[in-house]
Amino acid sequence: MEEPCPGVCSDAGDSDNAADVAASAPSLSRTPEADGEEVSQQPTSNKQSPASPSACSDVSGVTETESACLADEHGFPARLADGDVGEDASADCFDFGACAGSQDMASAPVESFENICSDHKECLPVAEGKDSEHRDGDVHMVESNPSGKADHDEKLGGSRSESPAQEMNVEGQGQGQCECGEDPAVLKMVGCEEEMVGCVRGSCDVPDEKPEETWGQSSAWSPPYEGGLRLDQLHDDVIFHIAVFLEARVVRDSLSKVCLRFLEMFDNEAYWKSRVFLRCHKPYPAVVSASDFSWVDACVAREDSYHTWRDWSRNTRHFLYGHNVNGEVDAVHLMKEGRLLASGDRNRFLNIVDLAKWDDSPGVQPDKQMADMLVHSDISHGGWIWSMASVGDTLITGSWDTHVRMFDLAAGCAQAQSFKCKSAVLCLYAEEKEVVASCFKEVAFFDRRSSALKMRIFHTKPVLSVVGNGQFIVSGSEDKSIVVFDRTAGKIFTTLKMDNYPLCMSLQDQQLWCGDRLGRLHLHNATGGMFSHVGTYDVSHKDKLTGVVATLGATFTCSGDKSVKVIEPTREPEVIASLDVHTKEVAKIDYNSGVLASAGGDECVGVWLPDHWDARSFRHLL
């Protein structure tokens, strides 16, 4: 017999839990008995030898050698391929990794339980023609036919023409008897002993009637007897390996909530960081993360984004909204966790749509449904609506009529504040206390508390994009420069020179992404106010890049080439998906809580709702 393979249990001992694990194994190696080889009988004992540290007296007692077999050099559970327990594996070797890693455990054929090694012989039913006798309270199986063979290996370990499930008699005929005279439903063996240890259910609880289905005949997997293995009894390495095959959101929101031990296992930055890097070997985040960077949120966002957008036609509900849209759409904005959509077109219409009312069930009339989704329409602007932003319940719009208007959605979209610039408002950035707007060459700072307006000049040509955070306001212009303004000092902090002028920008977690008129994407590292250039990337756009939104899970871009692209949020990003749904230029995009919206020159708004998105109406807000 070969030596047991490393990292697995070589002696199951007499633990019931060890027998449970063997019985639940999806695939087991062939035994020497089944191949006709001689097997020397090893004496067993109900007590585990203290000199055998590798013996599995408990399922949770996975040894350090086993842990090494389940973890790679990063300390992260390794994915085991199907069939890691091969034909030549030792008969007394059970692979915990194969058990945890197999995706077909529940559907394992009954025949796979036949070739169980001698140390894990499991619950084999008594063959017809055997009786039982009682010794010292235990049930022992004896041969009722004097001429029959008494060899233990041939009875339980030799080649058999039928599987244990096929030999089982549902009505209990030919099975061993309990002291009460009733037939036991299931018998179990401990280790390799020939002695049967009573009924699992108890001698007085066995029903007289025929059960509806047996373990071997049931279509769903169930433990062979009561008191089976529990999830919290598994070793940490086995739990980590199981987590490899679960979505990050399931691990964070469900598995970690099973018990305090699991919560402590997964409340670990090192685990989530390793999980991210094992799935993507590119630098992530694209620049050095801040000290408060949440790796668990980043991991969940990355896996959710990749799962959703790699097959967006199946994983999202997409439609084009065109009701009450009377011209090319130049601005879109998502509010209230993506449930409210605001859009502005070149016919001066401001539309607010309740996306929670979308229903793609058969028989629903799309035109009537889209009309019901429109909860507010406004034509207070005297020019094209070119930009949008929001803070809480306040929607802020900028127009070619030189006005910035603020609408309070909680008050029925009543206009709350407004201010007038000297020229058309091309872009907006909004915070609780301040609104920043670009007005051609000037940048306007509007204090929402005092209504004070201060104009600053940073560029020599029109300002096309404005973003910011608590420390800086960043503006990009046609003069091929990006200016970083220090809000605390009240002066320009630095100026970045570009080969081509930036049309759009997104500032997220110290990463400044900007798109230029050639369709390229640029990344700058804003950590510590450096704003150093990291790289310039081709993301497969064939025309000017008109919009960019950076998130933890993905980066979204749109272009004059009529496409919207979802790309990796890393350096040297690759395209995850290309959304080609518009027939004309896409002017802007917005993303909020899994919902994506695009402003199309074909007089409609593209909407993508994630498949798991729960519907809830926000009509009461208006």
Side-chain angles (χ1 to χ4, degrees):
M1 182 184 297
E2 298 179 14
E3 291 296 326
C5 58
V8 294
C9 182
S10 61
D11 184 5
D14 292 338
S15 171
D16 292 345
N17 288 337
D20 301 351
V21 176
S24 62
S27 61
L28 299 171
S29 58
R30 293 178 57 85
T31 63
E33 294 93 333
D35 293 335
E37 299 176 15
E38 289 189 6
V39 180
S40 60
Q41 296 297 319
Q42 299 294 332
T44 58
S45 172
N46 291 333
K47 296 183 179 180
Q48 180 177 315
S49 171
S52 303
S54 63
C56 294
S57 59
D58 187 85
V59 172
S60 60
V62 182
T63 65
E64 295 181 0
T65 309
E66 297 162 12
S67 303
C69 194
L70 292 176
D72 57 16
E73 64 274 13
H74 302 284
F76 190 80
R79 179 187 291 268
L80 298 183
D82 293 338
D84 280 351
V85 181
E87 292 290 334
D88 297 331
S90 175
D92 55 355
C93 172
F94 179 73
D95 193 334
F96 282 84
C99 176
S102 174
Q103 297 177 349
D104 300 324
M105 180 188 298
S107 60
V110 176
E111 288 76 12
S112 65
F113 290 88
E114 180 177 1
N115 297 325
I116 302 177
C117 63
S118 58
D119 284 347
H120 294 284
K121 190 64 63 177
E122 172 61 31
C123 300
L124 295 179
V126 182
E128 187 174 352
K130 292 183 175 64
D131 296 323
S132 64
E133 69 178 27
H134 300 273
R135 301 179 197 163
D136 301 329
D138 293 340
V139 180
H140 301 267
M141 304 314 302
V142 298
E143 184 65 52
S144 60
N145 184 357
S147 62
K149 295 182 180 180
D151 181 71
H152 172 66
D153 290 342
E154 187 169 352
K155 291 178 187 176
L156 298 179
S159 59
R160 307 169 65 94
S161 59
E162 294 180 313
S163 67
Q166 292 170 326
E167 291 183 354
M168 181 179 292
N169 188 317
V170 178
E171 297 183 3
Q173 297 178 0
Q175 294 185 350
Q177 301 294 321
C178 294
E179 293 180 359
C180 65
E182 296 292 341
D183 290 334
V186 183
L187 297 178
K188 68 177 181 179
M189 294 186 67
V190 178
C192 292
E193 296 179 287
E194 300 180 23
E195 299 181 354
M196 291 292 185
V197 186
C199 293
V200 177
R201 299 192 193 181
S203 58
C204 297
D205 295 332
V206 180
D208 294 330
E209 65 276 7
K210 172 182 175 180
E212 294 183 0
E213 60 181 19
T214 64
W215 167 56
Q217 296 174 340
S218 174
S219 58
W221 184 90
S222 59
Y225 55 85
E226 296 178 1
L229 189 66
R230 298 196 314 269
L231 186 63
D232 60 355
Q233 291 176 318
L234 296 176
H235 190 275
D236 287 3
D237 290 335
V238 179
I239 297 299
F240 279 130
H241 189 65
I242 291 174
V244 171
F245 302 94
L246 301 177
E247 294 180 1
R249 182 176 295 276
V250 175
V251 175
R252 183 192 67 178
D253 298 339
S254 298
L255 183 60
S256 64
K257 304 295 192 299
V258 170
C259 60
L260 182 59
R261 172 178 154 234
F262 286 6
L263 180 62
E264 293 173 348
M265 288 171 58
F266 294 106
D267 187 16
N268 185 341
E269 181 180 282
Y271 168 78
W272 296 103
K273 190 173 183 179
S274 298
R275 185 176 177 118
V276 168
F277 282 101
L278 284 174
R279 283 160 171 76
C280 178
H281 301 289
K282 297 179 181 179
Y284 179 83
V287 300
V288 178
S289 59
S291 58
D292 59 348
F293 185 79
S294 174
W295 281 100
V296 58
D297 292 341
C299 185
V300 171
R302 289 215 58 185
E303 292 190 22
D304 280 357
S305 295
Y306 183 77
H307 170 75
T308 299
W309 298 107
R310 67 176 176 176
D311 192 2
W312 64 269
S313 60
R314 293 182 55 186
N315 298 324
T316 66
R317 293 178 292 159
H318 166 67
F319 62 94
L320 295 174
Y321 187 88
H323 180 76
N324 205 44
V325 177
N326 301 287
E328 296 181 24
V329 182
D330 294 307
V332 291
H333 185 70
L334 291 165
M335 303 175 61
K336 295 296 181 182
E337 298 178 341
R339 291 182 171 89
L340 287 182
L341 167 67
S343 66
D345 61 38
R346 294 194 180 183
N347 205 30
R348 303 178 293 115
F349 274 88
L350 168 65
N351 293 325
I352 300 178
V353 178
D354 187 354
L355 297 179
K357 296 181 180 179
W358 171 254
D359 184 5
D360 53 1
S361 303
V364 178
Q365 298 181 1
D367 293 340
K368 182 179 183 305
Q369 180 178 227
M370 289 187 181
D372 293 338
M373 292 170 66
L374 181 64
V375 294
H376 180 78
S377 185
D378 186 279
I379 54 172
S380 57
H381 276 294
W384 297 347
I385 300 175
W386 203 255
S387 56
M388 290 183 177
S390 67
V391 178
D393 292 331
T394 303
L395 174 65
I396 306 168
T397 59
S399 169
W400 279 74
D401 64 2
T402 72
H403 282 87
V404 174
R405 302 185 187 276
M406 286 160 256
F407 301 90
D408 188 353
L409 272 64
C413 280
Q415 183 172 308
Q417 289 177 297
S418 67
F419 64 90
K420 179 176 172 56
C421 300
K422 296 179 180 179
S423 56
V425 180
L426 302 181
C427 53
L428 291 169
Y429 170 74
E431 294 179 351
E432 185 67 33
K433 300 177 182 179
E434 192 171 43
V435 175
V436 181
S438 70
C439 308
F440 269 75
K441 297 179 183 180
E442 295 181 313
V443 177
F445 291 78
F446 177 76
D447 191 325
R448 296 181 61 192
R449 298 165 297 179
S450 63
S451 298
L453 180 64
K454 182 179 292 187
M455 308 298 293
R456 297 180 183 272
I457 299 178
F458 300 142
H459 299 276
T460 59
K461 290 187 177 181
V463 179
L464 304 178
S465 180
V466 173
V467 294
N469 56 23
Q471 186 177 3
F472 301 107
I473 293 295
V474 184
S475 59
S477 168
E478 278 189 10
D479 62 9
K480 299 181 182 180
S481 71
I482 295 176
V483 171
V484 181
F485 175 75
D486 190 326
R487 305 175 73 173
T488 303
K491 61 182 181 180
I492 294 176
F493 179 78
T494 187
T495 300
L496 310 176
K497 294 296 183 180
M498 307 281 292
D499 293 335
N500 291 281
Y501 60 82
L503 287 169
C504 54
M505 293 190 298
S506 178
L507 181 61
Q508 190 262 341
D509 283 341
Q510 308 302 317
Q511 304 171 39
L512 176 64
W513 295 88
C514 59
D516 63 22
R517 67 183 184 89
L518 298 181
R520 298 178 303 177
L521 190 62
H522 304 265
L523 172 62
H524 291 79
N525 183 359
T527 303
M530 296 185 299
F531 289 92
S532 57
H533 183 259
V534 176
T536 299
Y537 312 110
D538 180 4
V539 291
S540 302
H541 281 301
K542 299 179 176 59
D543 202 345
K544 59 185 178 182
L545 210 156
T546 55
V548 57
V549 177
T551 71
L552 280 175
T555 300
F556 301 85
T557 60
C558 64
S559 169
D561 63 6
K562 313 172 190 176
S563 71
V564 176
K565 295 191 184 296
V566 185
I567 65 176
E568 298 172 336
T570 63
R571 300 184 192 179
E572 303 296 337
E574 295 183 6
V575 177
I576 299 174
S578 182
L579 316 179
D580 303 312
V581 299
H582 290 282
T583 59
K584 291 185 178 181
E585 172 183 310
V586 181
K588 290 289 189 299
I589 54 173
D590 198 19
Y591 181 86
N592 190 337
S593 302
V595 181
L596 177 65
S598 59
D602 47 1
E603 301 186 10
C604 65
V605 178
V607 179
W608 290 263
L609 305 177
D611 214 18
H612 62 274
W613 195 65
D614 56 330
R616 186 174 59 180
S617 176
F618 276 77
R619 180 179 289 275
H620 65 279
L621 294 175
L622 304 177

